[in-house]
Amino acid sequence: MFLNIKYTPLLLLLVLFSCGSKEYFFENAICIENINTIDPLEGLKENQTIVLLDGKILKIEPTKNIVLSKENTIINGTNKYLIPGLWDTHVHFAYIEELAPIMSNLFLKYGITSVRDTGGKVAIVKKWKDHAIANPTIAPRIFMAGPLLDGIPNVYDGSDPGHPELSIGLNSTEAITKQIDFLETKNVDLLKAYEMLSPEQFIHIIKTANKKGLKVTGHIPLSMDVISASNAGLHSMEHIRNLELSCASNAKELLKERKAMLLAGTNIQGGTLRAAIHKAQQKKAIENYDEFKADSILAILKRNDTWQIPTLALNTFFSRRYFEKKEWQNSYFALPDSIAHYWQNRSEALTQMKASDFRKKYDHWHIKMIKKIYDAKIPIMAGTDTPIAYLTPGLSLHEELAALAETGIPNIEVLKTATTNPAKYFNLEKELGQIKEGMWADLLILDANPLENIENTKKINTVIKQGKIFK
Ligand SMILES: [Zn+2]
């Protein structure tokens, strides 16, 4: 016999305690039987049975405590591993408009069940966010920043394919207020401040955002140092951009030089001016890297709770060289033909190029710095910048996890950067990021244990989005 249980947890518990040998039937549910669960906060639990209903996790029991009726929809989880769905916290739906229509599908295929879009035309990104809200079982959850809020000249101004129009160049605090008011009507989830802002503009963005309860992420403006930006209330930093400029023993001198270059360059295209400043300063900063200064900056980032999205795979592009790998290039087949063709050609050309000595040193500095940030207990989130730099949507998040693990961060902590940490960032830690009763059933079944080898996050057997198996 079997018991027909819809989803009355109290009834279920009563039945469990009173007649443990009976068979259980959960109508319209998916049951995953005898799987090893990896909750990022609670660790590995072997031989668990999970019941999913109405998009959520209804029940978790040790398999020995519950006998499922054959009438249930059952997934045999023997020797498999269940982890929460992953987040990519740095993506751009609007970077290549032609690619946007397949990005949601690719994210889910690779187990990315939530993404944070960190900059692009609001009309484009919102379109895909609305699509995801209307189709929650076939698209990732999308959280969006709207356009990059930049100063003048703005970097991403649409002047060439390398600088699509992702940003808005703002010339006054009034223009900033107006823009943020507009973005609020579009239900943005956060704001992103960019590199060409003046300190006054940057501070105005944070103050205005705070009044509206919006977080501000961003690049450290070239006109500021990291400490001032963090003290102003920046909630998170992308790519640890411009951190090295503040960690140099000659940081004050470098800031003065940057301000002069910004002043002299108002007629230059924003991307070109930014590149010139980076070229003039990054090498000098790395040569004058001051460990003591870095430690004191990290202490301030910790004190201010300034989170970090290191995009380490991107930042170490020339040293780690993901684009050379066969597996990587094979992922291009899923892209529209013209993009696949271009990425393939570029990857082959880059394969022939060696990293300069400075580039290697700079990449190595990033790797060491991310481990220092982790050791300083500053929260980290995994993000990629896909589809920039031939980072295939979805696959690139797994590359980011591998890069984070290579720094020496333990695998379970690396998993947190793509699960519990992003959930907490968006105040969703009671709904997403863990394997717990009552949480959304955004889950991945893996064929191998990611705690043993982080690359096992790629051994995806089944993706479940909001309680439905994604095919
Ligand atoms: Zn980005």
Side-chain angles (χ1 to χ4, degrees), residues 310-329:
T311 61
L312 189 58
L314 173 75
N315 289 15
T316 55
F317 178 88
F318 282 107
S319 301
R320 294 189 67 261
R321 307 181 78 79
Y322 54 81
F323 53 83
E324 285 184 2
K325 291 189 274 184
K326 193 83 208 132
E327 175 205 18
W328 196 271
Q329 294 181 6

Side-chain angles (χ1 to χ4, degrees), residues 110 163 227 250 365 369 395 445 463 471:
Y110 285 105
H163 296 97
I227 294 174
N250 55 342
W365 176 85
M369 185 52 70
L395 177 62
I445 299 176
V463 176
K471 283 176 183 147

Side-chain angles (χ1 to χ4, degrees), residues 196-266:
M196 309 304 271
L197 292 164
S198 69
E200 296 70 32
Q201 291 176 320
F202 180 81
I203 290 164
H204 186 69
I205 288 173
I206 292 176
K207 281 191 176 155
T208 311
N210 281 348
K211 280 185 211 151
K212 297 180 187 296
L214 290 168
K215 281 186 172 157
V216 179
T217 195
H219 293 200
I220 303 299
L222 288 164
S223 61
M224 294 179 83
D225 59 62
V226 172
I227 294 174
S228 320
S230 173
N231 283 342
L234 182 67
H235 290 98
S236 53
M237 273 170 66
E238 309 293 325
H239 326 285
I240 62 170
R241 175 72 84 246
N242 299 332
L243 176 60
E244 74 282 11
L245 306 181
S246 292
C247 291
S249 57
N250 55 342
K252 275 199 180 124
E253 203 179 296
L254 291 175
L255 180 59
K256 209 173 144 198
E257 184 185 272
R258 285 204 294 286
K259 284 184 172 174
M261 287 183 83
L262 287 166
L263 210 60
T266 44

Side-chain angles (χ1 to χ4, degrees), residues 35 114 116 147 188 220 227 233 270 308 339 390 393 415 418 433-434 456:
I35 198 159
S114 299
R116 188 179 69 128
V188 296
I220 303 299
I227 294 174
Q308 299 297 321
I339 297 171
Y390 324 112
L415 284 180
Q434 284 190 265
N456 288 339

Side-chain angles (χ1 to χ4, degrees), residues 90-92 118-119 148 166 192 194 219 238-239 314 385 388:
H90 192 128
V91 313
H92 295 282
T118 45
L148 311 173
L166 301 181
K192 183 165 173 190
Y194 215 62
H219 293 200
E238 309 293 325
H239 326 285
L314 173 75
D385 225 355
I388 293 174

Side-chain angles (χ1 to χ4, degrees), residues 378-410:
I378 298 162
I380 293 172
M381 299 202 290
T384 63
D385 225 355
T386 181
I388 293 174
Y390 324 112
L391 286 158
T392 308
L395 177 62
S396 49
L397 192 272
H398 300 274
E399 187 69 15
E400 181 66 14
L401 298 181
L404 290 171
E406 281 166 26
T407 68
I409 301 174

